[in-house]
Amino acid sequence: MDVLALTDGELAEIINADRYDAELRAQADALRREHYGIDVYIRGLIEFTNVCKNDCLYCGIRRGNASAERYRLESEDILGCCETGYRLGFRTFVLQGGEDPHYTDEIVCSLVSEIKRRFSDCAVTLSIGEKERDSYAAYKAAGADRYLLRHETASDEHYKRLHPKEMSLSHRKQCLFDLKELGYQVGSGFMVGSPYQTAENLVEDIRFLQQLKPDMIGVGPFIPHSETPFAYFAGGGLELTLRMLSILRCFFPNALIPATTALGTIHPRGREMGLQSGANVVMPNLSPVSKRKLYSLYDNKICTGEEAAECLKCLAGRVESVGYKIVVSRGDVKK
Ligand code: 5AD
Ligand code: FES
């Protein structure tokens, strides 16, 4: 089957087909092996603030969640997480947080440049939301290599149902194109099975990504969080998420695609199956264990009690159990 030649309607049909498609998965795995062999890249995720000025309806750290206990890490703590990570073999650090005005451009820039100074063979990825183009330019000048900003859904109508009035899909897209122009390796993506999502929406997501041509694509199941307006919606399915990973690998043969923590949360072997379906990246947590549970975007998140070293060991075993291998590398995109 030539996935690239399918019409929107045919793609929607495949997305809707309620089964784990072995042929599609084999195709995706063959493509990932062609470009990346059996290598799995690791990214050290540092969730440095759960303060957020946004109010996305799906997210547990939305400002409207008054029961979330908020925290911020100091720059020295963040550098400490990098130090631990570096010793464990991480060569990419992902600084992720809510949209927290406390971290001014100046703070972000000095943090990025200090990480690059101390760990010059590492890549720094930022995942701190929508900013002005000038801010993105400043972070880039300070040494940031990559930026993650999921578009969440490429349908305007669907976007409005997931976000408060003051947010817009057009602004989010603008940010993504700005980041590309500024020379970042850019990651986008979306949740699978978010409330009101249709197969047609998922086709639109693929079409938008074809326009954007991202280097990284983050896709994981929606998981309800009890303290959000979406608490009683169903979560995204395992098979649908795996099918989307495979389809994305076919469309983007050289993309960096993580088997997400969310996927590992909805099934004990979710990340392993993600790797077998086309994913080639995992993003273990380097945040201090004392803060892990507080960065709660969705309920029942895994790996909140383990030290980074334990998590990595566990993950290495999981990766090997399905025939792949974690490598010590920046893991840049292969063009
Ligand atoms: N379930 C799954 N993923 C979520 N995210 C936010 N809230 C949830 C949820 N309830 C994802 C969003 C965001 C990324 C950091 O986490 O896609 O971009
Ligand atoms: Fe974190 Fe297994 S990967 S405990």
Side-chain angles (χ1 to χ4, degrees), residues 111-166:
L111 181 59
V112 170
S113 55
E114 186 57 19
I115 296 176
K116 296 293 286 194
R117 193 186 68 77
R118 292 197 200 175
F119 311 99
S120 57
D121 55 339
C122 294
V124 171
T125 305
L126 292 174
S127 178
I128 53 177
E130 297 182 20
K131 305 277 177 184
E132 298 297 327
R133 187 191 167 101
D134 288 350
S135 304
Y136 289 147
Y139 309 152
K140 187 81 186 36
D145 301 279
R146 310 185 186 132
Y147 205 101
L148 301 177
L149 181 68
R150 291 186 178 179
H151 65 280
E152 312 297 358
T153 173
S155 147
D156 248 311
E157 198 191 326
H158 187 217
Y159 195 92
K160 287 198 184 90
R161 303 185 86 164
L162 302 183
H163 298 94
K165 289 194 292 303
E166 58 281 11

Short mmCIF file of all heavy atoms in Angstrom, two decimals, residues 111-166:
data_model
loop_
_atom_site.label_atom_id
_atom_site.label_comp_id
_atom_site.label_asym_id
_atom_site.label_seq_id
_atom_site.Cartn_x
_atom_site.Cartn_y
_atom_site.Cartn_z
N LEU A 111 20.14 30.79 30.73
CA LEU A 111 20.10 29.35 31.03
C LEU A 111 20.59 28.53 29.83
O LEU A 111 21.44 27.64 29.96
CB LEU A 111 18.67 28.96 31.40
CG LEU A 111 18.41 27.51 31.77
CD1 LEU A 111 19.27 27.09 32.97
CD2 LEU A 111 16.93 27.30 32.10
N VAL A 112 20.06 28.86 28.66
CA VAL A 112 20.45 28.12 27.46
C VAL A 112 21.96 28.26 27.21
O VAL A 112 22.66 27.27 26.97
CB VAL A 112 19.66 28.62 26.22
CG1 VAL A 112 20.25 28.04 24.93
CG2 VAL A 112 18.18 28.23 26.34
N SER A 113 22.46 29.49 27.33
CA SER A 113 23.88 29.65 27.01
C SER A 113 24.77 28.97 28.04
O SER A 113 25.82 28.44 27.71
CB SER A 113 24.26 31.12 26.78
OG SER A 113 23.89 31.88 27.89
N GLU A 114 24.30 28.94 29.31
CA GLU A 114 25.09 28.25 30.33
C GLU A 114 25.09 26.73 30.09
O GLU A 114 26.12 26.07 30.26
CB GLU A 114 24.55 28.58 31.73
CG GLU A 114 25.36 28.03 32.89
CD GLU A 114 26.84 28.47 32.90
OE1 GLU A 114 27.19 29.48 32.24
OE2 GLU A 114 27.65 27.78 33.57
N ILE A 115 23.96 26.18 29.68
CA ILE A 115 23.92 24.74 29.37
C ILE A 115 24.87 24.44 28.20
O ILE A 115 25.66 23.50 28.25
CB ILE A 115 22.48 24.26 29.02
CG1 ILE A 115 21.56 24.43 30.22
CG2 ILE A 115 22.49 22.79 28.57
CD1 ILE A 115 20.10 24.09 29.96
N LYS A 116 24.81 25.30 27.18
CA LYS A 116 25.68 25.07 26.02
C LYS A 116 27.16 25.25 26.37
O LYS A 116 28.02 24.60 25.80
CB LYS A 116 25.29 26.02 24.87
CG LYS A 116 23.91 25.80 24.31
CD LYS A 116 23.74 24.49 23.58
CE LYS A 116 24.42 24.49 22.23
NZ LYS A 116 23.97 23.33 21.40
N ARG A 117 27.43 26.13 27.35
CA ARG A 117 28.81 26.34 27.76
C ARG A 117 29.34 25.11 28.51
O ARG A 117 30.42 24.62 28.24
CB ARG A 117 28.92 27.59 28.64
CG ARG A 117 30.34 28.09 28.87
CD ARG A 117 30.39 29.26 29.87
NE ARG A 117 30.04 28.85 31.22
CZ ARG A 117 30.83 28.19 32.07
NH1 ARG A 117 32.05 27.86 31.69
NH2 ARG A 117 30.43 27.86 33.28
N ARG A 118 28.50 24.61 29.43
CA ARG A 118 28.96 23.48 30.24
C ARG A 118 28.92 22.15 29.50
O ARG A 118 29.69 21.24 29.80
CB ARG A 118 28.07 23.33 31.50
CG ARG A 118 28.24 24.46 32.48
CD ARG A 118 27.69 24.07 33.84
NE ARG A 118 27.42 25.25 34.64
CZ ARG A 118 26.85 25.23 35.84
NH1 ARG A 118 26.48 24.08 36.38
NH2 ARG A 118 26.63 26.35 36.50
N PHE A 119 27.99 22.03 28.56
CA PHE A 119 27.82 20.74 27.85
C PHE A 119 27.81 21.03 26.36
O PHE A 119 26.77 20.99 25.70
CB PHE A 119 26.50 20.08 28.28
CG PHE A 119 26.31 20.03 29.78
CD1 PHE A 119 25.51 20.97 30.42
CD2 PHE A 119 26.95 19.05 30.54
CE1 PHE A 119 25.34 20.94 31.81
CE2 PHE A 119 26.78 19.01 31.93
CZ PHE A 119 25.98 19.96 32.56
N SER A 120 29.01 21.33 25.85
CA SER A 120 29.06 21.89 24.49
C SER A 120 28.73 20.86 23.40
O SER A 120 28.43 21.22 22.27
CB SER A 120 30.43 22.49 24.23
OG SER A 120 31.41 21.50 24.44
N ASP A 121 28.76 19.57 23.77
CA ASP A 121 28.41 18.56 22.75
C ASP A 121 26.94 18.16 22.83
O ASP A 121 26.53 17.14 22.28
CB ASP A 121 29.31 17.32 22.91
CG ASP A 121 29.26 16.73 24.31
OD1 ASP A 121 28.87 17.45 25.26
OD2 ASP A 121 29.60 15.54 24.47
N CYS A 122 26.14 18.96 23.53
CA CYS A 122 24.72 18.63 23.68
C CYS A 122 23.83 19.60 22.91
O CYS A 122 24.18 20.75 22.68
CB CYS A 122 24.32 18.69 25.15
SG CYS A 122 25.11 17.41 26.14
N ALA A 123 22.67 19.09 22.55
CA ALA A 123 21.64 19.94 21.93
C ALA A 123 20.67 20.40 23.01
O ALA A 123 20.39 19.67 23.96
CB ALA A 123 20.89 19.15 20.87
N VAL A 124 20.21 21.64 22.87
CA VAL A 124 19.18 22.15 23.78
C VAL A 124 17.88 22.35 23.00
O VAL A 124 17.86 23.00 21.95
CB VAL A 124 19.61 23.47 24.44
CG1 VAL A 124 18.45 24.10 25.20
CG2 VAL A 124 20.79 23.25 25.38
N THR A 125 16.84 21.75 23.53
CA THR A 125 15.51 21.87 22.94
C THR A 125 14.63 22.66 23.90
O THR A 125 14.62 22.37 25.09
CB THR A 125 14.88 20.47 22.74
OG1 THR A 125 15.76 19.66 21.97
CG2 THR A 125 13.54 20.56 22.05
N LEU A 126 13.92 23.64 23.38
CA LEU A 126 12.98 24.37 24.21
C LEU A 126 11.55 23.94 23.89
O LEU A 126 11.23 23.64 22.74
CB LEU A 126 13.12 25.88 23.98
CG LEU A 126 14.44 26.51 24.47
CD1 LEU A 126 14.52 27.98 24.05
CD2 LEU A 126 14.57 26.37 25.99
N SER A 127 10.73 23.91 24.92
CA SER A 127 9.32 23.58 24.74
C SER A 127 8.55 24.42 25.75
O SER A 127 8.14 23.96 26.81
CB SER A 127 9.11 22.08 24.98
OG SER A 127 7.75 21.72 24.87
N ILE A 128 8.45 25.72 25.42
CA ILE A 128 7.88 26.68 26.37
C ILE A 128 6.78 27.53 25.74
O ILE A 128 6.47 28.62 26.21
CB ILE A 128 8.99 27.58 26.99
CG1 ILE A 128 9.85 28.25 25.90
CG2 ILE A 128 9.89 26.76 27.91
CD1 ILE A 128 10.91 29.22 26.46
N GLY A 129 6.21 27.00 24.66
CA GLY A 129 4.99 27.59 24.15
C GLY A 129 5.14 28.70 23.14
O GLY A 129 6.18 28.85 22.49
N GLU A 130 4.07 29.48 23.02
CA GLU A 130 3.99 30.54 22.02
C GLU A 130 4.68 31.80 22.52
O GLU A 130 4.37 32.28 23.61
CB GLU A 130 2.52 30.84 21.70
CG GLU A 130 1.79 29.68 21.08
CD GLU A 130 0.34 30.01 20.72
OE1 GLU A 130 -0.01 31.20 20.58
OE2 GLU A 130 -0.46 29.06 20.60
N LYS A 131 5.61 32.30 21.73
CA LYS A 131 6.36 33.51 22.09
C LYS A 131 6.41 34.42 20.88
O LYS A 131 6.07 34.02 19.76
CB LYS A 131 7.79 33.15 22.50
CG LYS A 131 7.92 32.12 23.60
CD LYS A 131 7.79 32.75 24.96
CE LYS A 131 7.85 31.68 26.04
NZ LYS A 131 7.63 32.22 27.39
N GLU A 132 6.91 35.64 21.11
CA GLU A 132 7.15 36.55 19.99
C GLU A 132 8.32 36.04 19.17
O GLU A 132 9.24 35.40 19.70
CB GLU A 132 7.51 37.96 20.52
CG GLU A 132 6.43 38.62 21.33
CD GLU A 132 5.17 38.89 20.52
OE1 GLU A 132 5.28 39.16 19.30
OE2 GLU A 132 4.07 38.79 21.10
N ARG A 133 8.32 36.38 17.89
CA ARG A 133 9.41 35.97 17.01
C ARG A 133 10.76 36.44 17.54
O ARG A 133 11.75 35.71 17.50
CB ARG A 133 9.17 36.54 15.61
CG ARG A 133 10.15 36.03 14.58
CD ARG A 133 10.04 36.82 13.28
NE ARG A 133 11.20 36.51 12.45
CZ ARG A 133 11.18 35.65 11.44
NH1 ARG A 133 10.10 35.02 11.11
NH2 ARG A 133 12.28 35.42 10.75
N ASP A 134 10.80 37.67 18.09
CA ASP A 134 12.06 38.20 18.63
C ASP A 134 12.59 37.35 19.77
O ASP A 134 13.80 37.19 19.94
CB ASP A 134 11.87 39.64 19.13
CG ASP A 134 11.71 40.63 17.98
OD1 ASP A 134 11.93 40.22 16.82
OD2 ASP A 134 11.35 41.79 18.25
N SER A 135 11.68 36.83 20.59
CA SER A 135 12.10 35.96 21.69
C SER A 135 12.70 34.68 21.13
O SER A 135 13.78 34.25 21.57
CB SER A 135 10.91 35.61 22.58
OG SER A 135 10.29 36.79 23.06
N TYR A 136 12.02 34.08 20.16
CA TYR A 136 12.56 32.87 19.54
C TYR A 136 13.95 33.15 18.96
O TYR A 136 14.86 32.33 19.07
CB TYR A 136 11.65 32.38 18.42
CG TYR A 136 10.32 31.78 18.87
CD1 TYR A 136 9.17 31.92 18.09
CD2 TYR A 136 10.22 31.05 20.05
CE1 TYR A 136 7.96 31.36 18.47
CE2 TYR A 136 9.01 30.48 20.44
CZ TYR A 136 7.87 30.64 19.64
OH TYR A 136 6.67 30.08 20.02
N ALA A 137 14.10 34.33 18.36
CA ALA A 137 15.39 34.68 17.75
C ALA A 137 16.46 34.80 18.84
O ALA A 137 17.60 34.34 18.67
CB ALA A 137 15.27 35.99 16.98
N ALA A 138 16.08 35.38 19.98
CA ALA A 138 17.04 35.55 21.08
C ALA A 138 17.47 34.19 21.64
O ALA A 138 18.65 33.96 21.91
CB ALA A 138 16.42 36.42 22.17
N TYR A 139 16.52 33.28 21.81
CA TYR A 139 16.88 31.95 22.34
C TYR A 139 17.82 31.24 21.37
O TYR A 139 18.75 30.55 21.78
CB TYR A 139 15.65 31.04 22.52
CG TYR A 139 14.48 31.62 23.29
CD1 TYR A 139 13.18 31.17 23.04
CD2 TYR A 139 14.65 32.61 24.26
CE1 TYR A 139 12.08 31.68 23.73
CE2 TYR A 139 13.55 33.13 24.94
CZ TYR A 139 12.28 32.66 24.67
OH TYR A 139 11.20 33.16 25.34
N LYS A 140 17.55 31.44 20.08
CA LYS A 140 18.38 30.80 19.05
C LYS A 140 19.81 31.35 19.13
O LYS A 140 20.78 30.60 19.12
CB LYS A 140 17.79 31.06 17.66
CG LYS A 140 18.46 30.32 16.54
CD LYS A 140 17.94 28.89 16.48
CE LYS A 140 18.61 27.97 15.51
NZ LYS A 140 20.00 28.08 15.27
N ALA A 141 19.88 32.67 19.27
CA ALA A 141 21.20 33.31 19.36
C ALA A 141 21.94 32.85 20.61
O ALA A 141 23.17 32.77 20.63
CB ALA A 141 21.04 34.83 19.35
N ALA A 142 21.18 32.53 21.67
CA ALA A 142 21.80 32.06 22.91
C ALA A 142 22.26 30.61 22.79
O ALA A 142 22.95 30.11 23.68
CB ALA A 142 20.81 32.21 24.07
N GLY A 143 21.85 29.93 21.72
CA GLY A 143 22.35 28.57 21.51
C GLY A 143 21.31 27.47 21.40
O GLY A 143 21.67 26.30 21.22
N ALA A 144 20.03 27.82 21.53
CA ALA A 144 19.00 26.77 21.43
C ALA A 144 19.03 26.15 20.03
O ALA A 144 19.19 26.86 19.04
CB ALA A 144 17.62 27.35 21.73
N ASP A 145 18.89 24.83 19.98
CA ASP A 145 18.98 24.11 18.70
C ASP A 145 17.61 23.73 18.14
O ASP A 145 17.42 23.69 16.94
CB ASP A 145 19.77 22.80 18.91
CG ASP A 145 21.16 23.05 19.45
OD1 ASP A 145 22.04 23.38 18.65
OD2 ASP A 145 21.35 22.95 20.69
N ARG A 146 16.71 23.38 19.07
CA ARG A 146 15.44 22.80 18.63
C ARG A 146 14.29 23.40 19.43
O ARG A 146 14.49 23.91 20.53
CB ARG A 146 15.44 21.28 18.84
CG ARG A 146 16.66 20.59 18.30
CD ARG A 146 16.55 19.06 18.42
NE ARG A 146 17.80 18.44 18.02
CZ ARG A 146 18.44 17.49 18.72
NH1 ARG A 146 17.92 17.05 19.87
NH2 ARG A 146 19.57 16.99 18.29
N TYR A 147 13.08 23.28 18.87
CA TYR A 147 11.90 23.79 19.57
C TYR A 147 10.72 22.85 19.33
O TYR A 147 10.47 22.45 18.20
CB TYR A 147 11.55 25.20 19.08
CG TYR A 147 10.79 26.01 20.12
CD1 TYR A 147 11.44 26.97 20.90
CD2 TYR A 147 9.42 25.81 20.34
CE1 TYR A 147 10.76 27.70 21.86
CE2 TYR A 147 8.74 26.53 21.30
CZ TYR A 147 9.41 27.48 22.06
OH TYR A 147 8.74 28.21 23.02
N LEU A 148 10.05 22.52 20.42
CA LEU A 148 8.85 21.67 20.33
C LEU A 148 7.61 22.51 20.61
O LEU A 148 7.52 23.17 21.65
CB LEU A 148 8.90 20.54 21.37
CG LEU A 148 10.07 19.56 21.30
CD1 LEU A 148 9.97 18.56 22.45
CD2 LEU A 148 10.08 18.84 19.96
N LEU A 149 6.69 22.48 19.68
CA LEU A 149 5.42 23.18 19.87
C LEU A 149 4.36 22.41 19.08
O LEU A 149 4.26 22.55 17.86
CB LEU A 149 5.51 24.63 19.38
CG LEU A 149 4.26 25.49 19.53
CD1 LEU A 149 3.95 25.76 21.00
CD2 LEU A 149 4.41 26.82 18.79
N ARG A 150 3.61 21.59 19.78
CA ARG A 150 2.59 20.82 19.05
C ARG A 150 1.51 21.77 18.55
O ARG A 150 1.12 22.69 19.26
CB ARG A 150 1.96 19.79 19.98
CG ARG A 150 2.90 18.66 20.36
CD ARG A 150 2.14 17.62 21.15
NE ARG A 150 2.94 16.47 21.52
CZ ARG A 150 2.47 15.46 22.24
NH1 ARG A 150 1.21 15.46 22.65
NH2 ARG A 150 3.25 14.44 22.54
N HIS A 151 1.02 21.51 17.34
CA HIS A 151 -0.08 22.36 16.84
C HIS A 151 -1.41 21.93 17.47
O HIS A 151 -2.37 22.68 17.45
CB HIS A 151 -0.13 22.35 15.31
CG HIS A 151 -0.48 21.04 14.71
ND1 HIS A 151 0.45 20.03 14.55
CD2 HIS A 151 -1.66 20.54 14.24
CE1 HIS A 151 -0.16 18.98 13.99
NE2 HIS A 151 -1.42 19.27 13.81
N GLU A 152 -1.45 20.72 18.03
CA GLU A 152 -2.59 20.14 18.77
C GLU A 152 -3.75 19.69 17.89
O GLU A 152 -4.31 18.61 18.11
CB GLU A 152 -3.12 21.06 19.89
CG GLU A 152 -2.07 21.66 20.82
CD GLU A 152 -1.28 20.65 21.67
OE1 GLU A 152 -1.57 19.45 21.58
OE2 GLU A 152 -0.36 21.07 22.40
N THR A 153 -4.12 20.48 16.91
CA THR A 153 -5.09 20.05 15.88
C THR A 153 -5.02 21.09 14.77
O THR A 153 -4.87 22.28 15.05
CB THR A 153 -6.54 19.96 16.40
OG1 THR A 153 -7.41 19.69 15.28
CG2 THR A 153 -7.01 21.24 17.08
N ALA A 154 -5.11 20.62 13.53
CA ALA A 154 -4.99 21.55 12.40
C ALA A 154 -6.34 22.04 11.91
O ALA A 154 -6.43 22.72 10.89
CB ALA A 154 -4.21 20.88 11.27
N SER A 155 -7.38 21.69 12.63
CA SER A 155 -8.71 22.18 12.25
C SER A 155 -9.07 23.36 13.15
O SER A 155 -9.04 23.25 14.37
CB SER A 155 -9.74 21.06 12.42
OG SER A 155 -11.00 21.59 12.80
N ASP A 156 -9.43 24.48 12.49
CA ASP A 156 -9.77 25.68 13.25
C ASP A 156 -10.90 25.44 14.24
O ASP A 156 -10.83 25.83 15.40
CB ASP A 156 -10.24 26.77 12.27
CG ASP A 156 -9.25 27.91 12.21
OD1 ASP A 156 -8.85 28.37 13.31
OD2 ASP A 156 -8.86 28.30 11.10
N GLU A 157 -11.91 24.75 13.71
CA GLU A 157 -13.10 24.49 14.52
C GLU A 157 -12.76 23.61 15.73
O GLU A 157 -13.17 23.89 16.86
CB GLU A 157 -14.10 23.79 13.60
CG GLU A 157 -15.51 23.79 14.07
CD GLU A 157 -16.32 22.82 13.21
OE1 GLU A 157 -16.01 22.71 11.99
OE2 GLU A 157 -17.22 22.17 13.76
N HIS A 158 -11.98 22.57 15.47
CA HIS A 158 -11.57 21.68 16.56
C HIS A 158 -10.67 22.41 17.54
O HIS A 158 -10.80 22.25 18.77
CB HIS A 158 -10.88 20.44 15.97
CG HIS A 158 -10.57 19.37 16.97
ND1 HIS A 158 -9.43 18.61 16.93
CD2 HIS A 158 -11.26 18.95 18.07
CE1 HIS A 158 -9.44 17.76 17.95
NE2 HIS A 158 -10.54 17.95 18.65
N TYR A 159 -9.77 23.23 17.02
CA TYR A 159 -8.86 24.00 17.88
C TYR A 159 -9.65 24.83 18.89
O TYR A 159 -9.31 24.90 20.08
CB TYR A 159 -7.95 24.90 17.04
CG TYR A 159 -6.76 25.45 17.79
CD1 TYR A 159 -5.54 24.77 17.78
CD2 TYR A 159 -6.86 26.62 18.55
CE1 TYR A 159 -4.45 25.25 18.49
CE2 TYR A 159 -5.77 27.10 19.26
CZ TYR A 159 -4.57 26.42 19.22
OH TYR A 159 -3.49 26.89 19.93
N LYS A 160 -10.73 25.44 18.39
CA LYS A 160 -11.55 26.30 19.26
C LYS A 160 -12.23 25.50 20.38
O LYS A 160 -12.51 26.04 21.45
CB LYS A 160 -12.62 27.02 18.43
CG LYS A 160 -12.06 28.13 17.56
CD LYS A 160 -13.17 29.08 17.10
CE LYS A 160 -12.64 30.14 16.15
NZ LYS A 160 -12.71 29.69 14.73
N ARG A 161 -12.49 24.24 20.10
CA ARG A 161 -13.16 23.43 21.14
C ARG A 161 -12.18 22.95 22.21
O ARG A 161 -12.59 22.53 23.28
CB ARG A 161 -13.86 22.23 20.50
CG ARG A 161 -14.86 22.66 19.45
CD ARG A 161 -15.63 21.49 18.91
NE ARG A 161 -16.81 21.21 19.75
CZ ARG A 161 -17.82 20.46 19.37
NH1 ARG A 161 -17.83 19.89 18.18
NH2 ARG A 161 -18.84 20.24 20.18
N LEU A 162 -10.89 23.00 21.92
CA LEU A 162 -9.88 22.54 22.87
C LEU A 162 -9.22 23.68 23.65
O LEU A 162 -8.52 23.43 24.63
CB LEU A 162 -8.77 21.76 22.14
CG LEU A 162 -9.16 20.53 21.32
CD1 LEU A 162 -7.90 19.87 20.74
CD2 LEU A 162 -9.91 19.51 22.18
N HIS A 163 -9.44 24.91 23.15
CA HIS A 163 -8.70 26.04 23.73
C HIS A 163 -9.62 27.19 24.07
O HIS A 163 -10.70 27.33 23.49
CB HIS A 163 -7.63 26.52 22.73
CG HIS A 163 -6.61 25.48 22.42
ND1 HIS A 163 -6.71 24.63 21.33
CD2 HIS A 163 -5.48 25.11 23.07
CE1 HIS A 163 -5.67 23.80 21.32
NE2 HIS A 163 -4.92 24.06 22.37
N PRO A 164 -9.18 28.05 25.00
CA PRO A 164 -9.98 29.22 25.34
C PRO A 164 -9.96 30.23 24.19
O PRO A 164 -9.11 30.16 23.31
CB PRO A 164 -9.28 29.79 26.58
CG PRO A 164 -7.88 29.30 26.49
CD PRO A 164 -7.93 27.98 25.79
N LYS A 165 -10.90 31.16 24.25
CA LYS A 165 -11.10 32.14 23.16
C LYS A 165 -9.83 32.87 22.76
O LYS A 165 -9.62 33.16 21.60
CB LYS A 165 -12.11 33.22 23.60
CG LYS A 165 -13.53 32.78 23.71
CD LYS A 165 -14.48 33.98 23.82
CE LYS A 165 -14.33 34.77 25.14
NZ LYS A 165 -14.52 33.95 26.37
N GLU A 166 -9.00 33.19 23.76
CA GLU A 166 -7.85 34.04 23.44
C GLU A 166 -6.75 33.31 22.68
O GLU A 166 -5.77 33.93 22.25
CB GLU A 166 -7.33 34.74 24.69
CG GLU A 166 -6.89 33.89 25.87
CD GLU A 166 -7.99 33.33 26.77
OE1 GLU A 166 -9.19 33.40 26.41
OE2 GLU A 166 -7.64 32.79 27.83
#
